Amino acid sequence: SVDAIVALKARSQSKMRLTSMLGDTAREALVEAMAVDVLSCLLTHPEIEAVHVISGAGWSDGGPLPRGITLWQESDWPVNGLIQAYELMTEKSAAEGLLFIHADLPCLDQEGLSAVIEASAERHAVLCPDHADVGTNAVLRWRDQPLPLCFGNDSLRRHQHAADVAGVPWRIVRQPGLSLDIDLPADLDRVRRGDAPIGERTSAWFHGYQVDLTADATQHAL
């Protein structure tokens, strides 16, 4: 069995590196749209049994997140940082396989998730790099594997090293929907011009805010 675990940063503090291109309203709307697309994709995958979400301020049970997730509030737990949030959620899941996945993957699709789960056969951990092959956007780890999470700077190399040190077999899965994350203004353009279909809510955000970074790199969505 596999459960997905997602951490949502406080809405007002999310994607601050986009402030040079986006006003606060547009930025928070994008964060929400991507989260809804990612969670909806996870909820509808037949091999994912449950989706656990730990959230910072600005997210609530009555908010825009899709029904079916199990939502935990970061303020209720002694959490300091992304990795602690992810590890705390492992205690809330009874699944053997744990998929830690970021919420800024607007092109995530069923094919990519199936590829990750398939690659985990024979008790392999699975690492999903970002488009630069430097960061890690998702990790599937079996419960009995002593593989620490190493999200942050240069995380792909650090995850590989940690798995080797722990004697955990691992595989890499590269899929457009798992690699195309949005952190910087250039990532907006990369996703908008990419080959992978964009999730429904994020696509609506691009149309609604009329973001066209290729035509004008200084344009703000207000």
Side-chain angles (χ1 to χ4, degrees):
S1 60
V2 175
D3 280 2
I5 299 177
V6 180
L8 297 176
K9 193 174 182 178
R11 286 172 61 112
S12 63
Q13 299 300 314
S14 297
K15 301 302 172 187
M16 296 301 291
R17 286 183 287 180
L18 297 176
T19 55
S20 64
M21 302 299 300
L22 302 177
D24 289 344
T25 299
R27 177 176 53 82
E28 290 190 36
L30 173 62
V31 169
E32 176 185 307
M34 291 192 295
V36 170
D37 282 337
V38 168
L39 295 174
S40 298
C41 187
L42 293 169
L43 285 166
T44 53
H45 194 279
E47 294 180 87
I48 295 177
E49 294 194 6
V51 180
H52 297 268
V53 180
I54 183 165
S55 68
W59 306 93
S60 67
D61 291 324
L65 300 181
R67 294 182 180 181
I69 65 170
T70 302
L71 181 65
W72 309 85
Q73 298 293 335
E74 184 179 319
S75 57
D76 294 335
W77 305 95
V79 173
N80 181 20
L82 174 66
I83 291 176
Q84 281 194 17
Y86 276 138
E87 293 291 8
L88 175 67
M89 287 296 96
T90 66
E91 303 172 12
K92 308 301 178 185
S93 167
E96 295 181 11
L98 301 168
L99 173 63
F100 305 91
I101 186 166
H102 295 341
D104 60 348
L105 303 172
C107 301
L108 185 67
D109 57 16
Q110 302 290 296
E111 180 181 355
L113 292 174
S114 294
V116 172
I117 294 171
E118 182 179 352
S120 71
E122 302 175 0
R123 312 293 288 186
H124 282 76
V126 182
L127 309 176
C128 302
D130 63 10
H131 62 87
D133 238 26
V134 175
T136 315
N137 285 337
V139 172
L140 194 154
R141 176 184 81 187
W142 293 98
R143 183 171 292 279
D144 59 356
Q145 290 178 329
L147 172 61
L149 297 177
C150 303
F151 292 111
N153 293 332
D154 199 21
S155 63
L156 179 61
R157 181 192 61 79
R158 292 189 293 113
H159 273 124
Q160 292 169 320
H161 177 71
D164 290 340
V165 169
V168 174
W170 53 272
R171 289 172 174 157
I172 293 285
V173 168
R174 293 181 174 88
Q175 289 277 336
L178 287 158
S179 64
L180 291 172
D181 55 348
I182 293 181
D183 284 315
L184 301 169
D187 297 331
L188 286 167
D189 209 29
R190 182 177 292 107
V191 167
R192 190 182 62 80
R193 295 184 294 108
D195 296 330
I198 305 173
E200 180 180 352
R201 288 291 298 272
T202 309
S203 179
W205 179 89
F206 274 101
H207 288 294
Y209 287 94
Q210 298 181 349
V211 176
D212 188 356
L213 291 105
T214 300
D216 182 2
T218 65
Q219 179 177 347
H220 280 60
L222 301 176

